[in-house]
Amino acid sequence: MTHPVYENFAPARAADAGGNGGTNGNIPADQLIILPVRNFVLFPGVVMPVAVMRPSSVAAVQQAIREGRPVGILMQRDAQQEEPGVTDLHRMGVVANILRYVTAQDGTHHLVCQGEQRFHVEEFVKEKPFLTARVRRIEENDERNSDVEARFVHLQGQAAEALELLPQVPGELMAAVRGAESPSTLADLVAAYIDISADEKQELLETIDIVARMNKVARLLAHRIEVLRLSQEIGRQTKASLDERQREVLLREQMAAIQKQLGEDNGNSQEIADLEKQVADAGMPDDVEQMARKELGRLRRMSDAGPEYGMIRTYLDWLIALPWKLPEEAPIDIAEARRILDEDHFGLPKIKQRIVEYLAVRKLAPNGKAPILCFAGPPGVGKTSLGQSIARALGRKFIRVSLGGVHDEAEIRGHRRTYIGALPGNIIQGIRKAGTRDCVMMLDEIDKMGSGIQGDPSAAMLEVLDPEQNGTFRDNYLGVPFDLSRVVFIATANMLDTIPGPLRDRMEIITLSGYTDSEKLQIAKRYLVRRQLEANGVSPEQVEVDDGALQTIIRAYTREAGVRNLEREVGRAVRHVAVGIAEGSVTHAHITSDGVAELLGPPIFEDEVALRVSVPGVATGLAWTPVGGDILFIEATKVPGRGGLILTGQLGDVMKESAQAAMSLVKSRAAEFGIDPAVFASNDVHVHVPAGATPKDGPSAGVAMFTALVSLLSGRTVRKDTAMTGEISLRGLVLPVGGIKEKVVAAARAGLTRVMLPARNRRDYEDIPQDARDRLEFVWLERVDDAIANALEPAEEAQPLRAAV
């Protein structure tokens, strides 16, 4: 059967059948309406359906119907061309009569066309609203001679043979082939229905000579007949192979029955008996054991050569290997847990206190539903190692499941057993690897799961991380409930924004901020140096790293919230020394602050505060990033203009609005800050945030922008030791912002001594590390007047603006 040919797959809005189709008047008699199609060739004498969806094609068809005229069907040279021009079409086509025109409810237009005669385009007349052309009709030469007659009979026999090899061939097609009266009619009929490419059909259409056309059709048809014969032969061989396999299975079953009667069946029966004993000893719940014995019964009745034997055996192995029995609750020593946490991690007092509380509740209520902890913070602050410490404190197995990049729900719930190579999900695989139901399972990078056509794994995690539901967790592969309530789940994440709300609601979020310089120094002394010495094969007696060297590496070679880069730089320095030790030229090395540059090269980071805040118009802000806090410089200058505001530095919409609000506030209160209002009429203000390649957004730079503008226009410099954050309103209020802990730590790390924070952020003061609190002076802002009073140098000490920043 012939299927409709869609000449354009993109939906389009067509004119109504009763309209004018986008043209005025009738088409001249010497012109033919052209209908471009793709991947479709119509032959004379053949009836084919066509689906028309392009607006120009719909207009062409409707015009032809109104005038009762045929259309010329031309195939595109490039099927991907959406709006073909005159150069994109073949020049040889077929004049077709429209037998039927139907507009479907979905807006598509369908034709039934009958090919009438070949034509060649002599000249395209117009392209809009549809193509028309002057054409030359090509008459068929049907004169008979012995050569043509012989080829006609041969082609007719080939076509009949091909139709007999095809399944479910319509009788009308067979009758049309046998009843063909002329060679050209037969050649076109076979060419229309033979399974060849559209380009090959176009080549046949353009072959005018009947002998050459019949030769080409016969050659292509011979190839198709050979393919059909081979296909039938392969089908017969496959059927014979299946029949042979069924015969083999039957014989094996008969042989097994004979061996059983003779008492010689000692292979498969012994394996089944071992499996039955293992099922009985596994300690499965009643419903799970009933399922296992049902599958065991199927296995007993099945030949080991059967295709499902291995699948059932693998399924039973998984059921037997899972830890169904609940082990005895190990005693929890709270003092020992404190010692382990202090031994593995420096600082983090609140985090450690929460973990101790968690362990205390587990000790007092072993069967209680423990919360799901989620450690959130920048990379390198010790989230994964905290989970390992909890496992050590509990005396349980630790299993890590990486969720970064997981985008298939089957990774969590597993595949159904009907699929080849099916396996349980990562949760059940981790339980089997641990060998116990009360393990500590770390769900690492839970914020980096994705979703795709295979489902949403974060939705599958809802059941895993819900203490009310995970007692009956059902993996698709197992098909039976498994109790996860005794598993201690601990998740880690860098950003909470990408975690779906329902999933985040099931976890208790514990935030880990970045480390201060003093904390990094202690971590490096206690852990990182020792670890790198062991990794590089040197002893503490051979290489010694003093505190000054570590402080130099922290401040001049790393700028991060965690300590991963710090460990890399320490390792790089140790490796540089290890070369001399391996060569024998060095026996003992003492790395000092002065020798760091020789080992690691010039410092990577420098103190930019003194460099950038030495002139009016520059303020130091505080920013939050997914990897911790950072300082942000706001630079402002004025250029001749008409009072406009120029913003650069790849700022987001919210940050641009903060700058506009700051500018409006400065203009409205210019007199209060000693600013001449006339300066706005003759100058434009340019606000720039350096590091232009980094996108920046958020409202918390409002105070810094306002301070920079007042500093620029009043000629008073901003204090070099001060950084600030906060959102401003047009009433002059300083509004609270987020990320205070990370921003304050970044200010301490940058060497600043004063920070100005919104007064309504006092609630976050307790979250700031004690070391940062001791090193910084805090100024709490209620209004922008407080910021100007505390941030700008006195007017008599201000320096005049010498140059644009």
Side-chain angles (χ1 to χ4, degrees):
M1 296 295 292
T2 302
H3 299 285
V5 178
Y6 290 87
E7 52 85 37
N8 188 1
F9 293 97
R13 184 180 301 276
D16 294 336
N20 61 11
T23 187
N24 296 320
N26 295 336
I27 304 300
D30 64 336
Q31 296 180 24
L32 181 64
I33 298 174
I34 301 300
L35 179 63
V37 296
R38 63 175 74 190
N39 292 329
F40 168 59
V41 178
L42 183 65
F43 286 85
V46 178
V47 177
M48 286 282 186
V50 181
V52 182
M53 299 178 67
R54 203 147 38 198
S56 59
S57 299
V58 173
V61 171
Q62 292 176 350
Q63 184 70 17
I65 292 174
R66 278 193 296 272
E67 296 184 25
R69 301 177 51 163
V71 295
I73 294 183
L74 284 180
M75 189 177 76
Q76 299 177 203
R77 299 182 187 275
D78 182 8
Q80 304 300 323
Q81 190 74 24
E82 292 297 332
E83 292 294 337
V86 295
T87 60
D88 301 319
L89 302 174
H90 289 278
R91 291 304 178 106
M92 183 72 77
V94 171
V95 177
N97 293 319
I98 301 175
L99 304 181
R100 190 175 183 186
Y101 174 76
V102 178
T103 301
Q105 293 181 353
D106 59 355
T108 59
H109 303 260
H110 300 268
L111 307 178
V112 178
C113 298
Q114 182 178 22
E116 179 184 343
Q117 189 179 14
R118 285 175 171 81
F119 72 88
H120 183 272
V121 176
E122 299 294 335
E123 177 189 10
F124 286 98
V125 180
K126 65 175 184 176
E127 296 185 39
K128 299 294 182 180
F130 48 78
L131 287 169
T132 63
R134 292 188 178 93
V135 302
R136 173 173 55 87
R137 297 199 179 205
I138 300 173
E139 299 293 336
E140 291 286 350
N141 183 13
D142 277 336
E143 70 175 28
R144 298 288 189 98
N145 55 44
S146 58
D147 185 33
V148 173
E149 193 68 23
R151 297 178 189 279
F152 173 76
V153 174
H154 174 69
L155 182 58
Q156 200 169 36
Q158 277 187 306
E161 182 180 0
L163 291 176
E164 289 175 355
L165 292 172
L166 289 172
Q168 299 179 350
V169 175
E172 296 83 358
L173 184 57
M174 178 67 79
V177 169
R178 295 188 183 278
E181 296 179 355
S182 67
S184 59
T185 302
L186 178 63
D188 289 343
L189 181 63
V190 174
Y193 288 99
I194 190 173
D195 186 14
I196 57 177
S197 68
D199 290 334
E200 291 175 317
K201 290 187 177 183
Q202 181 67 28
E203 181 182 354
L204 292 175
L205 182 68
E206 294 177 359
T207 304
I208 305 302
D209 183 73
I210 184 60
V211 174
R213 192 192 317 164
M214 293 177 72
N215 287 340
K216 291 181 180 179
V217 173
R219 185 173 63 254
L220 293 170
L221 191 55
H223 175 72
R224 295 305 306 169
I225 290 173
E226 188 64 26
V227 171
L228 292 172
R229 285 175 180 169
L230 289 175
S231 177
Q232 281 195 350
E233 183 63 25
I234 292 172
R236 285 194 296 268
Q237 291 176 358
T238 305
K239 185 175 184 301
S241 176
L242 291 175
D243 292 342
E244 184 66 25
R245 189 176 184 86
Q246 292 172 355
R247 177 174 174 274
E248 182 182 349
V249 171
L250 180 61
L251 289 176
R252 285 186 179 276
E253 290 180 353
Q254 292 176 350
M255 185 171 64
I258 293 173
Q259 288 177 340
K260 186 175 182 180
Q261 292 295 329
L262 295 176
E264 298 176 356
D265 182 20
N266 56 359
N268 202 24
S269 297
Q270 183 62 40
E271 183 180 4
I272 298 297
D274 292 342
L275 287 174
E276 192 168 8
K277 182 177 183 303
Q278 292 173 2
V279 169
D281 296 341
M284 303 177 186
D286 293 340
D287 54 342
V288 179
E289 185 172 352
Q290 183 179 357
M291 171 65 75
R293 294 192 178 279
K294 179 181 177 182
E295 295 296 325
L296 197 59
R298 292 182 59 197
L299 197 68
R300 184 181 289 109
R301 296 188 299 271
M302 187 179 298
S303 168
D304 57 0
E308 291 190 32
Y309 186 90
M311 296 172 58
I312 297 177
R313 175 59 196 268
T314 304
Y315 175 70
L316 289 173
D317 287 342
W318 271 99
L319 287 181
I320 293 170
L322 287 175
W324 298 98
K325 296 179 181 178
L326 187 64
E328 295 182 3
E329 187 75 22
I332 299 176
D333 188 341
I334 301 298
E336 178 66 11
R338 291 181 187 273
R339 186 193 68 78
I340 290 174
L341 291 173
D342 290 335
E343 178 183 336
D344 293 346
H345 297 272
F346 176 80
L348 307 176
K350 292 187 177 181
I351 307 299
K352 292 178 180 178
Q353 180 60 32
R354 180 63 187 89
I355 293 174
V356 169
E357 293 172 359
Y358 174 82
L359 298 178
V361 173
R362 296 290 294 186
K363 180 177 181 179
L364 298 176
N367 297 322
K369 296 176 179 177
I372 311 297
L373 300 181
C374 177
F375 297 138
V381 296
K383 300 183 293 296
T384 303
S385 58
L386 275 173
Q388 295 173 337
S389 299
I390 293 175
R392 282 186 58 199
L394 287 171
R396 299 185 180 185
K397 292 285 188 66
F398 177 80
I399 296 297
R400 176 179 171 273
V401 177
S402 178
L403 299 178
V406 172
H407 61 277
D408 188 352
E409 181 189 357
E411 296 284 345
I412 307 300
R413 289 189 179 275
H415 302 81
R416 299 193 182 278
R417 282 193 291 150
T418 53
Y419 297 107
I420 300 296
L423 284 174
N426 289 333
I427 304 300
I428 296 299
Q429 290 186 39
I431 297 293
R432 179 179 178 177
K433 183 179 180 181
T436 177
R437 276 172 51 197
D438 62 350
C439 63
V440 176
M441 183 171 291
M442 171 71 74
L443 303 175
D444 215 2
E445 310 293 355
I446 197 171
D447 59 325
K448 295 177 178 61
M449 289 190 297
S451 60
I453 60 175
Q454 297 90 355
D456 187 358
S458 61
M461 291 298 298
L462 294 176
E463 182 182 5
V464 175
L465 298 183
D466 191 344
E468 300 293 335
Q469 302 180 34
N470 61 12
T472 57
F473 174 72
R474 182 178 292 271
D475 187 275
N476 289 331
Y477 180 82
L478 299 181
V480 293
F482 188 87
D483 186 4
L484 299 177
S485 61
R486 304 305 293 273
V487 178
V488 179
F489 288 106
I490 300 174
T492 69
N494 296 130
M495 298 182 63
L496 298 177
D497 297 341
T498 57
I499 303 177
L503 183 59
R504 187 167 62 245
D505 183 62
R506 282 164 166 76
M507 302 183 291
E508 179 180 341
I509 307 299
I510 299 179
T511 303
L512 285 77
S513 61
Y515 294 115
T516 61
D517 288 353
S518 61
E519 290 175 333
K520 289 182 180 180
L521 176 62
Q522 294 298 322
I523 293 172
K525 289 173 58 177
R526 300 188 185 196
Y527 311 107
L528 305 185
V529 173
R530 182 178 71 247
R531 189 185 305 166
Q532 286 301 314
L533 292 178
E534 294 176 357
N536 293 285
V538 295
S539 64
E541 292 76 18
Q542 293 174 310
V543 179
E544 182 181 353
V545 185
D546 65 14
D547 293 358
L550 293 176
Q551 289 177 343
T552 301
I553 295 175
I554 291 170
R555 294 174 181 173
Y557 292 89
T558 63
R559 184 165 291 179
E560 56 176 341
V563 292
R564 283 204 180 115
N565 285 329
L566 174 59
E567 184 173 3
R568 293 190 188 103
E569 296 299 325
V570 171
R572 192 153 68 96
V574 172
R575 285 194 300 273
H576 193 281
V577 175
V579 174
I581 296 176
E583 293 175 344
S585 59
V586 177
T587 58
H588 177 77
H590 184 198
I591 301 176
T592 63
S593 177
D594 297 333
V596 171
E598 181 181 351
L599 299 176
L600 302 181
I604 300 175
F605 302 101
E606 60 181 353
D607 185 7
E608 296 180 338
V609 177
L611 177 65
R612 295 206 178 186
V613 296
S614 57
V615 294
V618 182
T620 305
L622 296 174
W624 178 92
T625 69
V627 294
D630 202 356
I631 59 174
L632 192 70
F633 295 100
I634 310 296
E635 301 178 351
T637 187
K638 56 184 178 180
V639 295
R642 298 182 179 180
L645 178 63
I646 305 171
L647 302 174
T648 57
Q650 201 168 345
L651 310 182
D653 292 339
V654 177
M655 202 166 185
K656 290 179 180 178
E657 292 171 357
S658 294
Q660 293 166 354
M663 189 65 183
S664 298
L665 188 59
V666 171
K667 288 181 178 180
S668 65
R669 303 178 60 179
E672 299 180 25
F673 301 121
I675 301 172
D676 183 5
V679 73
F680 298 109
S682 58
N683 292 276
D684 289 341
V685 176
H686 185 171
V687 177
H688 176 65
V689 183
T694 304
K696 312 167 191 72
D697 203 1
S700 60
V703 170
M705 287 184 171
F706 177 81
T707 304
L709 292 173
V710 174
S711 169
L712 169 71
L713 299 173
S714 64
R716 300 166 60 187
T717 58
V718 182
R719 292 184 53 168
K720 300 179 181 180
D721 59 350
T722 302
M724 61 204 75
T725 186
E727 182 181 0
I728 61 172
S729 71
L730 292 179
R731 294 178 293 162
L733 300 177
V734 179
L735 306 178
V737 293
I740 292 296
K741 184 195 312 183
E742 290 80 4
K743 293 176 180 178
V744 172
V745 170
R749 185 170 62 240
L752 299 168
T753 58
R754 294 173 80 239
V755 290
M756 300 195 307
L757 306 175
R760 292 167 63 181
N761 278 116
R762 286 181 184 270
R763 60 180 182 269
D764 299 311
Y765 182 76
E766 294 298 324
D767 295 333
I768 300 172
Q770 185 62 44
D771 178 68
R773 283 190 273 177
D774 295 339
R775 294 168 56 183
L776 294 171
E777 175 188 350
F778 292 85
V779 179
W780 303 100
L781 308 177
E782 291 282 356
R783 302 182 60 83
V784 293
D785 307 78
D786 302 331
I788 300 303
N790 289 278
L792 299 186
E793 298 285 358
E796 61 272 14
E797 298 180 10
Q799 300 177 357
L801 182 62
R802 296 188 178 93
V805 178

